[in-house]
Amino acid sequence: MKIIPGSHSLGATVTELDLSQPLTDTDHRLLVEALANRGVLRFPNQTLTARQQFDFSARFGTLEENVAGMFQEPGLPQVMVLSNIVRDGKPIGIADAGQSWHTDMSYSATVAYANVLYAIEIPQRAGRPLGSTQFADMVAAYETLPNEIKRRIAGRTATHDFAKFWDMMRRERGSARPALTDAQRNTKPPVSHPLVLVHPVSGQRALYANPGYAMWIDGMDRSESDELLAFLFQHQTESRFVFTFEWTRGDVLMWDNLRTIHQALADYRADEPRLIKRCQVMADRVLNQGRTDRHALAAV
Ligand code: OGA
Ligand code: MN
């Protein structure tokens, strides 16, 4: 296995590793370190069944069954289908997943560690890939905050809500997503997490807020919280922190949700097919570090 870092603070390419085969303990440990250090890992030229994608992903933690409960692989509900393809009048996947800045599962009591996406079809126009995924580096975003802001967010938590992103997509983007049911809302009630976390692998501090799910800063006057979150949302999405990943069919992309925020670019049409399969790894194992009694993020 070779790990080749790119020129941005995020991103590395991992070659000479066949993800359809069981991962050795050594390679697993090296990938955990590389993911913490580079935030986004690309594994080109892979050929995977849903079961093999599941098995690789499950080495890093428990896999999520998405709360929306839609577009799951038959018999493997932890493998979700992202696609704009319609077959016999029926969509085969969720067509507009992640099309605005967010962190996966920050709305969940046990947050996400790593998302593993496998590209089966990628839209292209004039030889260029479309539907890229952008990442922003939350270690760099934290480091470059003004000291006064670092002081104001130190020791603070923010409340995150699954419905914020879902309802925004319906309201502002004309999404075909159905309204969330009360049962869905009740399975994911709003939760609080530290605004600054200590990364469990690298020990680096990272800003843990995102425009998709963060509602307010707990225990702060609402107008002060709105103003501070607006500042953080603007700061964390500045282009200097952003790494744009252009997909090639056969890529597996794994990203660190504790280190990055991301968004999918909706620059392709309904007749330009995109098909990606997804496994979300929860942060239970990476945060436990061998213990079984602790799931919380270490706060600053
Ligand atoms: C996700 C997501 C982005 C993409 O799967 O959580 O945000 O480019 N996907 O498909
Ligand atoms: Mn996402």
Side-chain angles (χ1 to χ4, degrees):
M1 175 172 83
K2 278 204 186 111
I3 302 173
I4 306 143
S7 53
H8 195 275
S9 64
L10 298 175
T13 300
V14 184
T15 61
E16 293 168 46
L17 183 67
D18 179 354
L19 299 187
S20 72
Q21 300 303 310
L23 195 61
T24 66
D25 289 343
T26 306
D27 285 351
H28 172 261
R29 190 173 41 77
L30 291 172
L31 289 181
V32 167
E33 277 168 27
L35 188 62
N37 293 332
R38 304 300 308 167
V40 182
L41 301 179
R42 173 187 185 220
F43 306 81
N45 301 315
Q46 300 292 330
T47 307
L48 294 180
T49 63
R51 182 77 228 183
Q52 288 164 338
Q53 184 178 357
F54 176 105
D55 288 342
F56 168 74
S57 307
R59 287 295 301 278
F60 299 86
T62 305
L63 301 188
E64 179 215 19
E65 271 184 54
N66 194 266
V67 52
M70 299 188 310
F71 304 119
Q72 298 162 336
E73 189 74 12
L76 276 179
Q78 299 89 342
V79 181
M80 197 173 160
V81 181
L82 313 180
S83 188
N84 60 346
I85 298 172
V86 178
R87 242 176 238 151
D88 303 325
K90 280 204 200 98
I92 67 162
I94 178 162
D96 57 8
Q99 292 180 351
S100 187
W101 286 107
H102 67 287
T103 305
D104 298 330
M105 289 183 79
S106 73
Y107 53 78
S108 180
T110 300
V111 299
Y113 166 35
N115 204 347
V116 180
L117 265 56
Y118 170 48
I120 297 164
E121 275 198 73
I122 296 299
Q124 293 227 353
R125 211 181 292 160
R128 302 292 308 165
L130 299 170
S132 293
T133 310
Q134 295 190 307
F135 298 89
D137 184 351
M138 291 305 104
V139 167
Y142 178 74
E143 277 170 6
T144 52
L145 282 173
N147 284 334
E148 180 248 332
I149 302 284
K150 283 186 182 164
R151 273 195 299 276
R152 280 171 72 195
I153 63 176
R156 290 282 185 176
T157 59
T159 292
H160 299 250
D161 190 348
F162 176 74
K164 183 184 182 191
F165 192 93
W166 191 280
D167 293 344
M168 178 278 292
M169 289 299 289
R170 283 171 47 81
R171 201 176 53 242
E172 294 169 26
R173 304 286 179 90
S175 173
R177 299 174 184 218
L180 287 177
T181 63
D182 286 344
Q184 285 170 323
R185 285 179 201 272
N186 294 339
T187 42
K188 287 292 173 195
V191 289
S192 290
H193 295 299
L195 261 175
V196 184
L197 61 82
V198 179
H199 194 285
V201 178
S202 69
Q204 289 177 306
R205 291 171 181 210
L207 178 61
Y208 196 72
N210 69 86
Y213 298 116
M215 301 289 287
W216 55 76
I217 299 173
D218 301 319
M220 196 178 266
D221 182 82
R222 189 63 195 258
S223 62
E224 187 188 353
S225 161
D226 287 352
E227 171 254 331
L228 190 46
L229 278 185
F231 174 85
L232 293 175
F233 295 161
Q234 183 278 323
H235 174 81
Q236 68 184 167
T237 54
E238 280 181 29
S239 59
R240 58 182 162 150
F241 307 128
V242 174
F243 165 65
T244 300
F245 178 74
E246 295 189 341
W247 291 90
T248 303
R249 172 199 288 238
D251 281 341
V252 167
L253 196 71
M254 181 176 196
W255 67 79
D256 184 342
N257 274 305
L258 302 173
R259 163 86 192 252
T260 61
I261 63 172
H262 62 279
Q263 68 173 352
L265 295 184
D267 59 355
Y268 54 98
R269 295 184 307 256
D271 63 344
E272 295 171 308
R274 186 179 197 257
L275 174 59
I276 287 180
K277 292 192 182 175
R278 169 194 203 258
C279 288
Q280 184 72 263
V281 183
M282 299 198 289
D284 51 354
R285 203 168 306 155
V286 75
L287 291 176
N288 285 334
Q289 304 281 347
R291 295 169 51 171
T292 52
D293 59 337
R294 188 165 56 92
H295 278 192
L297 299 172
V300 174

